[in-house]
């Protein structure tokens, strides 16, 4: 019975994450929520040279925001920047080349960024889905280095700058979002699921899934919709900090009967270990 229920929930959830799920959910969206002028506000988007990150950056640029693109590949990033400037007419687009799997690079970037810029919204979009085990030059497993440690360092390093801003916001991973929402009351933290979108990451990392689902996948813009809503709308900050969103609505962080809850002490231990890791790389970074 548990297997059957979980299967039903999986199929239902999969359907909600597709293009059809977005089209159904979008009927209740209020277009005015994202029809805003964000000129004068500064946004940093990691992994912004393609996929959902680029779509998000482009929509923020259309609304007049200053956008900092943080990307690993210089050539692809320059193409993305030119595309955003050309399509939006917004010249306030800045490019920073940083490998989010390299903690020393992130610390160095964050220190320089704090001295030169202001920041209202941090969008941690960069991530990877490496199917075979790979180690970084620091001996870290690549998925962990990018998806967890890298985003942890980027956020904690920029928290002091965010705390200076009005209506500061961050998008982050589920457990870290919940922990930071408790720790930093004047910053609004949130996390979201974009659904299954037709992005380069899905095509390259999940080729079999992509072939089966390609006609049902969301567009990059549809996948980015909730990110944009969380970043620019006034409605998002009327909800409590630390929530998990799908299609502009807070949703549970665990599926029924999935047994994926973790004890509070384990979550606190995770944050402690990440802090310990991050400080180790900060202490050996040149110029810091």
């Amino acid at each position: 019975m548990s297997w059957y229920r979980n299967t039903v929930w999986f199929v239902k959830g999969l359907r909600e994450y597709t293009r059809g799920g977005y089209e159904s959910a979008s009927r209740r969206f209020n277009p005015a929520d994202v029809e805003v002028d964000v000129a004068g506000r500064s946004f940093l988007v990691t992994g912004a040279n393609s996929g959902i990150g680029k779509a998000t950056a482009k929509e923020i640029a259309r609304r007049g925001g200053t956008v900092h693109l943080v990307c690993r590949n210089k050539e692809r990033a320059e193409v993305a920047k030119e595309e955003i400037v050309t399509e939006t007419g917004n010249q306030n687009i800045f490019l920073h080349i940083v490998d989010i799997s390299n903690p020393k690079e992130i610390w160095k970037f964050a220190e320089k960024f704090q001295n030169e810029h202001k920041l209202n919204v941090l969008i941690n979009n960069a991530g990877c889905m490496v199917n075979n085990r790979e180690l970084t030059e620091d001996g870290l497993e690549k998925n962990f280095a990018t998806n967890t440690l890298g985003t942890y360092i980027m956020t904690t390093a920029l928290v002091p700058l965010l705390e200076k801003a009005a209506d500061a916001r961050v998008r982050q991973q589920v457990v870290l979002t919940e922990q930071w929402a408790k720790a930093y009351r004047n910053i609004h933290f949130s996390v979201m699921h974009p659904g299954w979108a037709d992005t380069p990451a899905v095509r390259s990392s999940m080729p079999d899934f992509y072939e089966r689902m390609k006609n049902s996948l969301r567009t990059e813009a549809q996948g980015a919709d909730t990110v944009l809503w969380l970043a620019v709308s006034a409605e998002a900050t009327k909800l409590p900090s630390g929530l998990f969103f799908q299609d502009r609505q807070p949703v549970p962080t665990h599926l029924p009967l999935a047994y994926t809850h973790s004890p509070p002490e384990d979550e606190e231990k995770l944050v402690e270990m990440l802090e310990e890791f991050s400080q180790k790389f900060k202490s050996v970074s040149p110029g810091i």
Side-chain angles (χ1 to χ4, degrees):
M1 182 61 72
S2 294
W3 174 86
Y4 172 76
R5 287 176 180 170
N6 278 332
T7 301
V8 170
W9 275 101
F10 173 77
V11 172
K12 179 176 180 288
L14 187 62
R15 186 168 59 247
E16 289 177 351
Y17 291 157
T18 62
R19 187 189 310 133
Y22 174 83
E23 290 169 350
S24 176
S26 66
R27 296 188 191 110
R28 58 171 167 74
F29 292 174
N30 181 358
D33 285 358
V34 293
E35 291 174 359
V36 295
D37 183 349
V38 292
R41 286 178 63 78
S42 177
F43 301 77
L44 188 155
V45 185
T46 66
N49 66 282
S50 66
I52 290 170
K54 185 173 77 172
T56 301
K58 190 178 294 184
E59 291 304 318
I60 292 170
R62 290 190 205 281
R63 290 157 176 78
T66 296
V67 186
H68 296 273
L69 313 175
V70 175
C71 307
R72 180 175 58 87
N73 184 287
K74 187 173 187 293
E75 291 73 24
R76 290 201 294 265
E78 288 175 341
V79 171
K81 176 186 174 182
E82 183 178 351
E83 179 184 324
I84 292 169
V85 171
T86 300
E87 290 192 19
T88 68
N90 188 337
Q91 299 293 323
N92 293 317
I93 312 298
F94 300 91
L95 183 58
H96 310 273
I97 305 304
V98 184
D99 184 348
I100 302 298
S101 72
N102 187 322
K104 294 186 286 292
E105 271 192 33
I106 302 171
W107 277 119
K108 188 175 181 180
F109 159 76
E111 182 184 66
K112 186 172 186 292
F113 189 90
Q114 288 189 75
N115 292 331
E116 298 176 356
H117 304 282
K118 72 169 189 174
L119 183 62
N120 297 95
V121 181
L122 169 61
I123 300 174
N124 288 303
N125 167 78
C128 65
M129 292 184 285
V130 179
N131 296 320
N132 298 315
R133 181 175 171 81
E134 291 183 26
L135 298 181
T136 68
E137 63 181 38
D138 297 302
L140 301 169
E141 193 277 322
K142 194 165 187 179
N143 288 297
F144 167 75
T146 305
N147 302 336
T148 307
L149 182 62
T151 50
Y152 176 86
I153 294 175
M154 181 66 78
T155 305
T156 53
L158 293 176
V159 157
L161 189 59
L162 286 161
E163 288 190 309
K164 298 176 184 177
D167 189 19
R169 311 185 192 189
V170 178
R171 190 201 140 211
Q172 184 48 270
Q173 295 180 1
V174 175
V175 171
L176 295 180
T177 293
E178 294 170 341
Q179 295 295 315
W180 277 329
K182 298 173 188 174
Y184 305 105
R185 300 290 184 176
N186 58 336
I187 300 175
H188 195 270
F189 288 86
S190 51
V191 62
M192 59 79 68
H193 195 303
W196 292 112
D198 189 349
T199 65
V202 170
R203 293 194 292 270
S204 63
S205 300
M206 307 172 68
D208 294 339
F209 173 83
Y210 174 75
E211 283 302 316
R212 290 196 303 271
M213 298 293 296
K214 61 183 178 183
N215 294 325
S216 300
L217 297 177
R218 299 180 177 201
T219 66
E220 292 175 346
Q222 289 172 342
D225 177 80
T226 298
V227 187
L228 177 69
W229 183 80
L230 289 168
V232 307
S233 76
E235 293 301 308
T237 53
K238 292 179 182 178
L239 295 163
S241 181
L243 297 182
F244 177 44
F245 290 83
Q246 179 186 337
D247 292 330
R248 304 192 189 183
Q249 289 278 9
V251 294
T253 55
H254 302 275
L255 291 174
L257 305 176
Y259 306 108
T260 53
H261 291 268
S262 48
E265 56 269 25
D266 286 357
E267 296 182 0
E268 291 168 7
K269 182 65 175 177
L270 169 65
V271 175
E272 289 173 9
M273 292 178 66
L274 288 172
E275 180 63 17
E276 185 179 323
F277 262 116
S278 70
Q279 291 301 317
K280 180 179 76 168
F281 289 107
K282 182 180 182 181
S283 65
V284 299
S285 298
I288 294 182

